[in-house]
Amino acid sequence: MHLMLCSLIFTTSFTEAYLLQAEEQFCERNFDAAERLYDAAILSAKTHKFVNEQALSNELAGHFYRDTGRKIKSVNYFTRAFENYNEWGAVAKATSLTKYFEIGDAT
């Protein structure tokens, strides 16, 4: 049981580490690294079935793409975040993302 708990904590921390590094690279304007790290966070969360982490990773990636002028790509990430938040049961949070679904509104 202890080993299982340690594995769960490590995996969650690993996903969060990718996400924190992605945000750091975004702030430092190292956009190529940020892209890879957002996708790594999303994949890690998906692989380990952490829907809440997957939702947050997709949402932050959506903001990254929106803020770097890639509106169409941002909508794809916001849509996935919306789906993940709904799957997790965070309906109000999911609904708050709908303002980013329109390409013209993703500014």
Side-chain angles (χ1 to χ4, degrees):
M1 181 68 168
H2 179 65
L3 185 59
M4 182 185 280
L5 180 60
C6 289
S7 175
L8 177 64
I9 292 168
F10 175 75
T11 304
T12 301
S13 297
F14 204 58
T15 301
E16 290 171 356
Y18 281 134
L19 195 52
L20 288 171
Q21 289 174 22
E23 290 286 292
E24 179 181 34
Q25 294 304 311
F26 179 19
C27 290
E28 292 179 3
R29 304 189 61 76
N30 187 353
F31 299 147
D32 290 337
E35 282 186 58
R36 287 190 302 274
L37 289 161
Y38 283 119
D39 287 337
I42 293 164
L43 180 60
S44 177
K46 183 176 183 176
T47 299
H48 297 97
K49 298 181 180 19
F50 295 126
V51 178
N52 58 323
E53 300 274 340
Q54 192 176 350
L56 179 61
S57 298
N58 273 300
E59 179 184 1
L60 293 176
H63 287 292
F64 164 74
Y65 286 111
R66 184 196 65 189
D67 292 349
T68 56
R70 294 175 276 180
K71 296 175 186 175
I72 294 172
K73 199 163 189 173
S74 76
V75 171
N76 293 330
Y77 282 88
F78 283 127
T79 300
R80 281 188 252 150
F82 175 84
E83 293 166 355
N84 296 142
Y85 281 125
N86 273 317
E87 180 181 346
W88 187 43
V91 177
K93 178 60 180 172
T95 302
S96 75
L97 296 178
T98 59
K99 62 185 171 193
Y100 301 115
F101 287 3
E102 296 293 325
I103 302 297
D105 292 342
T107 58

